[in-house]
Amino acid sequence: MQIAALLLYAASSVFSVADLSRIVQANETNVAFAIEATLLHDGWAHYPYFAVSDDSGSVILRRGADIPSKRLKSGDTVRLTGVTTQGERRFSCADCIQIDAVRKGKPLPPVNASISDFNKGRLDARFVELHGTIRNVFRDEITGKYVYFVLADASDAAYAAFRDESEQDYSFLLGCTVTVTGICNPDEGGARHHFGRMLIAKDSNAIVILRNPPWWTPARLFTVILVLLLTLVAILVWNRSLRAQVERRSRELVKERLAHIESELKVGERTR
């Protein structure tokens, strides 16, 4: 691996994050790179991609199978060697085959941003934190290993996702006001869908619930109104039925009284 990395370093023509980002966006493959950059977040065992930055910008790379996630520590400066290859959905990817530590650094906090700035591409390949309300939650319909959700604020909305192989139902997140941290991937999709720019969270723990949804949700309000309407209809039907019974009984009493009067008149005529 060391020899391969040295050969790539010697053949490299890309030495900055901005150049590597441009190469990846242009879908150019088989381009060797050797860059020195700062890790923007800790490595994730279940997710092979990670984000780095230098003074020229930021970019997302894919770590090789021989690179353990625990070697990726937020804030550390590292030397990355690799080559661009054909990635998923016909887009090129920067495959990192060698990571060498340069110096330790303090963990970097995520960039706190608005959803509008997120969607405008100002935070691509950055480790960010978004704030908003979850409007929809659904799973990858093919593998079921990813949970997708829509995060919205007063003016905009964005897609986010995290990997989860359990059968946990995350519908309880609907309507919750949350903060979510993750990588802003400018080109991400799921299952049969291609969502474009998406926030990739490490796992469900990256979602912090700030406020639960109000009890008076539209669905509950509709249910209460429906129950009230049905109750009102039932009362009206019962009242009409009761009135009909009273009127029928009144007619029966009148008939009984008339019959009694007729009977008395007949008795009186016989006694004369």
Side-chain angles (χ1 to χ4, degrees), residues 56 65-66 85 107 120 123 147 154 156-157 164 169 173 179 192-193 197 199 201 215 219 225:
S56 66
D66 296 330
T85 59
K120 290 176 181 177
L123 301 163
V147 177
D156 212 343
D164 181 88
D169 181 10
L173 291 172
T179 59
R192 298 184 179 91
H193 308 286
R197 187 169 284 104
L199 182 70
W215 194 91
I225 293 175

Side-chain angles (χ1 to χ4, degrees), residues 183-213:
I183 306 170
C184 176
N185 194 326
D187 180 67
E188 188 58 77
R192 298 184 179 91
H193 308 286
H194 180 67
F195 302 113
R197 187 169 284 104
M198 181 182 293
L199 182 70
I200 306 298
K202 179 179 181 181
D203 51 34
S204 60
N205 294 324
I207 303 174
V208 178
I209 298 177
L210 303 178
R211 186 171 62 251
N212 288 316

Side-chain angles (χ1 to χ4, degrees), residues 7 16 41-44 85 103 114 120 122 133 150 160 165 168 178 186 188 211-212 216 235 241 255 263 268:
L7 292 175
S16 73
H41 60 93
D42 292 343
W44 302 346
T85 59
R103 57 181 174 275
S114 68
K120 290 176 181 177
R122 298 172 181 172
T133 301
V150 178
E165 297 187 18
Q168 171 73 41
V178 302
E188 188 58 77
R211 186 171 62 251
N212 288 316
W216 283 108
I235 291 174
S241 174
K255 290 179 179 179
S263 176

Side-chain angles (χ1 to χ4, degrees), residues 18-245:
D19 288 341
L20 179 57
S21 179
R22 177 182 55 78
I23 294 294
V24 170
Q25 291 176 10
N27 292 333
E28 297 182 25
T29 58
N30 299 318
V31 178
F33 63 86
I35 60 176
E36 187 174 301
T38 301
L39 295 167
L40 298 180
H41 60 93
D42 292 343
W44 302 346
H46 62 276
Y47 193 70
Y49 297 93
F50 63 98
V52 300
S53 70
D54 62 9
D55 293 336
S56 66
S58 56
V59 70
I60 295 175
L61 299 94
R62 181 169 59 188
R63 60 181 171 84
D66 296 330
I67 301 174
S69 60
K70 62 184 179 181
R71 290 186 57 186
L72 306 178
K73 296 295 183 182
S74 173
D76 287 358
T77 300
V78 293
R79 185 173 295 107
L80 308 162
T81 308
V83 63
T84 60
T85 59
Q86 191 74 43
E88 298 177 358
R89 299 182 306 279
R90 301 189 305 277
F91 293 96
S92 66
C93 178
D95 277 345
C96 180
I97 65 170
Q98 181 70 32
I99 296 180
D100 297 309
V102 175
R103 57 181 174 275
K104 294 289 184 181
K106 294 182 179 180
L108 301 176
V111 179
N112 193 302
S114 68
I115 295 178
S116 177
D117 286 341
F118 177 87
N119 285 331
K120 290 176 181 177
R122 298 172 181 172
L123 301 163
D124 287 354
R126 301 299 298 271
F127 190 54
V128 302
E129 178 182 87
L130 298 181
H131 176 277
T133 301
I134 295 180
R135 298 301 185 193
N136 192 17
V137 181
F138 56 97
R139 277 189 178 271
D140 171 356
E141 67 268 30
I142 296 179
T143 67
K145 294 181 179 180
Y146 282 89
V147 177
Y148 297 90
F149 56 98
V150 178
L151 188 67
D153 59 16
S155 60
D156 212 343
Y159 281 103
F162 60 89
R163 187 180 179 91
D164 181 88
E165 297 187 18
S166 71
E167 296 181 358
Q168 171 73 41
D169 181 10
Y170 288 96
S171 60
F172 69 89
L173 291 172
L174 283 172
C176 291
T177 300
V178 302
T179 59
V180 187
T181 55
I183 306 170
C184 176
N185 194 326
D187 180 67
E188 188 58 77
R192 298 184 179 91
H193 308 286
H194 180 67
F195 302 113
R197 187 169 284 104
M198 181 182 293
L199 182 70
I200 306 298
K202 179 179 181 181
D203 51 34
S204 60
N205 294 324
I207 303 174
V208 178
I209 298 177
L210 303 178
R211 186 171 62 251
N212 288 316
W215 194 91
W216 283 108
T217 60
R220 285 175 175 167
L221 182 60
F222 175 79
T223 301
V224 170
I225 293 175
L226 181 61
V227 169
L228 290 175
L229 287 175
L230 291 175
T231 302
L232 179 60
V233 170
I235 291 174
L236 292 174
V237 171
W238 176 79
N239 184 60
R240 186 170 182 177
S241 174
L242 183 61
R243 182 178 297 177
Q245 291 179 17

Side-chain angles (χ1 to χ4, degrees), residues 245 247-257:
Q245 291 179 17
E247 291 177 351
R248 184 172 62 254
R249 183 56 182 164
S250 297
R251 288 193 297 269
E252 291 175 352
L253 289 174
V254 169
K255 290 179 179 179
E256 289 177 1
R257 182 59 179 168

